[in-house]
Structure formats: structure tokens, C-alpha cells
Amino acid sequence: MSRVGKIAVIGAGIMGSGIAQVCAQAGFETNIYDKYSTALQKVSDNIKRTLDLLVGNDLVQANEVDNILQRIHTTPTLNKATEDVDFVIEAIVEDISKKRSLFAELDNLCRKDTVLATNTSSFSISEVASATKRQERVVGMHWWNPPYLMPLIEIVKGSRTSEQTLETTRSLAMNLGKKPVVCKDSPGFLGVRLQAALVIEAIKILEEGLADVEDIDLAVRMSLGFRLPIIGPLQAVDLGGLDTFFYAYDYLREKLGQSYKPPDLLGDKVRKGDLGIKTRKGFYEYTEASAASLVERRDRWLMRRAKELQVES
Ligand code: NAD
């Protein structure tokens, strides 16, 4: 399966309902199924409410709402929901044995070329896939909450996921208006693990009594959080200088312990003289023009945010 036409979403909770909405907004006929009829009954009202919010903020055209709702088919059985669909997105409760039984059932019900994707936040994709006889067509598709506003989809490659399945999923994510990234099957994938680094550190700082709750949150929001939407952490190191980050983290290692040790990759790059934009090579490579344009893009973004901040305060 390389071109997706019809989609089934399994699980009609917070995520499933939002995912079905995004699929229908992008023009896909979308079946949605939940084991519990009460959850299924609430789907249309929930989606209608969200669409009204989006219309009120000029993100969806008012005259599109009925068409979007008509593309969402609440289906009372798994059999009916999966009939002749090209792509299944599972968003049921985070319980590995329930997900594995569902995938075994989906494997029996779906066409042989249908891709089965799981929205699990934590489980191994390979473990979910091994409940089926089509492991090459099982993939992780990790959405963020709320699905109708968060741009990222993490596409997770299980040990036997095929390149074609990855490509189908990536192309679907783009057709849904999302920004896909691909990563190997590993705990926390990308986003959850990156967030864990920050959240765990924030809680440790609080626990050590170094600052109060509000100041820790404000420190993030007004510094790295302020520019994160435009500059990712690796690009921030390129801009600041890999040597500067290396020496700072080495001092943290000395004072706070081995868990702050700068990664070998950072040390290797510093030894090679790849120090970021100042040497035109760090985690990315730059020409003079691309380095200047990155700085300009960052500053334009920060100036816009600075104006918004003036209005807000
Ligand atoms: P939820 O509890 O809101 O919804 C789960 C739905 O699955 C419920 O309506 C339940 O009735 C249904 N369900 C349970 N077993 C089922 C089965 N066997 N067949 C069909 N339906 C079944 O949960 P959620 O927050 O929507 O999370 C769903 C999945 O998405 C989980 O794997 C979760 O880890 C993942 N996820 C959640 C978030 C989040 O912020 N909530 C973000 C990303 C990923």
C-alpha cells in the first residue's frame, strides 16, 4: 500500500477522536470504532465542538464543517470499521496486552496490504507488531495532544517495518498537514525522551530547593522555551559554539556528577574543530549565506515574540 484512500481509527478517546477529525479535515473518508458505545456516541459532538473552535479562529472554513463531519463514519463493529481500509491508526488504552490482542484481530480482518499503525506513547512497536503476521506493515505513528493543533507526528520504525510502510506513513502524515519525523523503535521515541530530560531536571532543581516552582517554569519559558519553536537544541549548540557547551557541561560533570558528562560525540567534534556556525560546521554544515540567514530567521522570530510579550504583559 503506498497511496492511502480510506482510514480506520480504533479507539474514540482523546486521541482517536482528534486523529479522526484531522483525517477527515484532510479529505479522507474515516471510520472510527470504539469498544464502548458511550465513547463512540460522543465522537460527533466532540469533533463538532472542536471544529467550531477552529472556525472561530480562522483555521477551518465554516462552510467546510458539514463536509468534514460527513467524512467521519462511526462504526459499531471492528469488522465494519476495517472493511476495505488502506490504513489503520490504533489509539486505544495504553495497555500492551490489549494492543497486542487488537493487532492480532486487525491482522485477520484487514486486507493484506493494509498498514497497521499504533499511537502508543511508550510500548515497543516491534512487540506490538509481533502479534501479527505482517510485521513489515506495522509502524508507530505517535501523535501529540491535541492532534488537531500539534504539528508533529513521530513515525517509529519497528525492527521489521519496511521502507515502503515508512514511506506510506510519512506521505500520509504530510497529506494530513503534519510534520513527520522518523526514529528507530526505542523507549520514549524522540519527543517523550527529550521532554523527560527537561522535566526530570526541572523537578530535581525544585527538589534541591534551588528555586521555586514559578521561577523554574519562567526560566524555561523566557529562555530556551522562548526560542525553541524556531531553533532546535542541536542548532542552538551550533549557534552558541560546541566548545562553549562542551566546557560548560564538563564543569557540570565535575561539580554535579557523571550523568552530566558531555557526550563523546560533542567532545569528538570539538577536538576536530567543528565548533558550529563559527567554523561553518557543527551538527549541521553552513555556508556564509546559510549561517547569516539562520541568525536572521532566529532574530526575526524573537522580535515577533518580543512584541507579543509586550502586548501580553
Ligand atoms: P483514552 O482513554 O482517552 O481513549 C482510549 C479509548 O480506547 C477509550 O475510548 C476506550 O473505550 C477505547 N478502547 C479501549 N480498549 C479498546 C479496544 N480493545 N478496542 C477499541 N477501543 C478500545 O486514551 P487516549 O489519551 O486517547 O490515548 C490513546 C492512545 O494514544 C494511548 O496509547 C496513549 O498512550 C496514546 N497517546 C496519548 C496521548 C495523550 O496525551 N492522551 C498523546 C499521545 C499518544
Side-chain angles (χ1 to χ4, degrees):
M1 167 54 41
S2 51
R3 270 187 75 81
V4 173
K6 200 165 159 193
I7 297 173
V9 177
I10 312 300
I14 300 171
M15 296 304 290
S17 152
I19 291 169
Q21 178 191 326
V22 173
C23 296
Q25 273 179 243
F28 292 95
E29 292 299 325
T30 307
N31 295 339
I32 180 161
Y33 165 79
D34 197 288
K35 198 172 175 181
Y36 301 98
S37 55
T38 43
L40 208 52
Q41 279 154 13
K42 288 192 220 143
V43 165
S44 297
D45 283 349
N46 286 344
I47 295 181
K48 172 86 176 70
R49 210 172 312 116
T50 314
L51 285 172
D52 287 344
L53 181 75
L54 297 179
V55 168
N57 285 280
D58 302 323
L59 287 165
V60 168
Q61 307 231 320
N63 61 7
E64 266 302 305
V65 169
D66 284 347
N67 293 336
I68 294 169
L69 291 171
Q70 276 165 22
R71 284 194 284 269
I72 299 171
H73 313 285
T74 50
T75 39
T77 64
L78 188 61
N79 204 343
K80 189 96 192 106
T82 51
E83 203 173 81
D84 207 29
V85 298
D86 304 309
F87 202 99
V88 176
I89 305 171
E90 168 276 311
I92 71 164
V93 63
E94 189 75 345
D95 175 321
I96 187 70
S97 65
K98 290 191 176 149
K99 287 195 193 281
R100 279 178 53 86
S101 339
L102 175 66
F103 270 71
E105 217 177 334
L106 290 171
D107 192 29
N108 287 329
L109 290 173
C110 293
R111 268 189 353 237
K112 287 284 167 255
D113 63 340
T114 301
V115 171
L116 308 180
T118 171
N119 185 41
T120 180
S121 309
S122 51
F123 301 135
S124 153
I125 305 309
S126 311
E127 196 177 343
V128 175
S130 66
T132 74
K133 291 187 222 64
R134 62 173 84 195
Q135 297 197 46
E136 67 289 356
R137 281 191 293 282
V138 178
V139 66
M141 192 183 197
H142 184 236
W143 297 60
W144 285 67
N145 187 28
Y148 47 85
L149 289 176
M150 292 296 276
L152 185 72
I153 289 182
E154 290 171 274
I155 298 172
V156 188
K157 184 179 179 346
S159 57
R160 294 181 52 189
T161 308
S162 71
E163 285 305 315
Q164 190 185 357
T165 298
L166 283 182
E167 202 35 57
T168 301
T169 312
R170 194 203 319 255
S171 137
L172 173 63
M174 279 171 10
N175 289 335
L176 294 172
K178 298 296 177 188
K179 304 277 182 212
V181 292
V182 176
C183 72
K184 290 184 187 157
D185 198 5
S186 64
F189 314 133
L190 298 184
V192 169
R193 187 163 159 191
L194 288 164
Q195 181 169 272
L198 184 60
V199 170
I200 290 172
E201 204 57 34
I203 297 172
K204 278 207 253 171
I205 289 173
L206 181 66
E207 203 170 53
E208 287 171 28
L210 300 178
D212 64 23
V213 173
E214 288 80 9
D215 278 0
I216 295 169
D217 272 349
L218 195 64
V220 174
R221 289 172 47 224
M222 294 299 130
S223 62
L224 56 127
F226 201 70
R227 65 168 189 226
L228 264 181
I230 194 77
I231 301 286
L234 299 177
Q235 217 156 32
V237 176
D238 273 4
L239 282 163
L242 274 70
D243 47 343
T244 306
F245 277 81
F246 178 84
Y247 298 129
Y249 293 162
D250 203 38
Y251 178 77
L252 293 188
R253 175 198 55 76
E254 197 186 314
K255 299 293 175 190
L256 298 177
Q258 282 303 314
S259 58
Y260 293 86
K261 177 180 175 291
D264 291 343
L265 180 63
L266 182 60
D268 291 347
K269 283 183 179 292
V270 170
R271 269 184 293 281
K272 274 199 283 179
D274 295 340
L275 306 182
I277 62 165
K278 59 189 168 191
T279 59
R280 303 278 174 261
K281 194 171 175 194
F283 291 102
Y284 297 81
E285 290 191 21
Y286 305 87
T287 60
E288 196 170 331
S290 73
S293 123
L294 174 65
V295 170
E296 194 194 321
R297 202 160 54 90
R298 176 197 65 185
D299 290 354
R300 250 191 283 119
W301 165 269
L302 290 175
M303 284 188 282
R304 250 201 348 260
R305 287 292 298 120
K307 277 189 201 158
E308 282 168 14
L309 201 62
Q310 275 173 359
V311 173
E312 281 163 20
S313 53

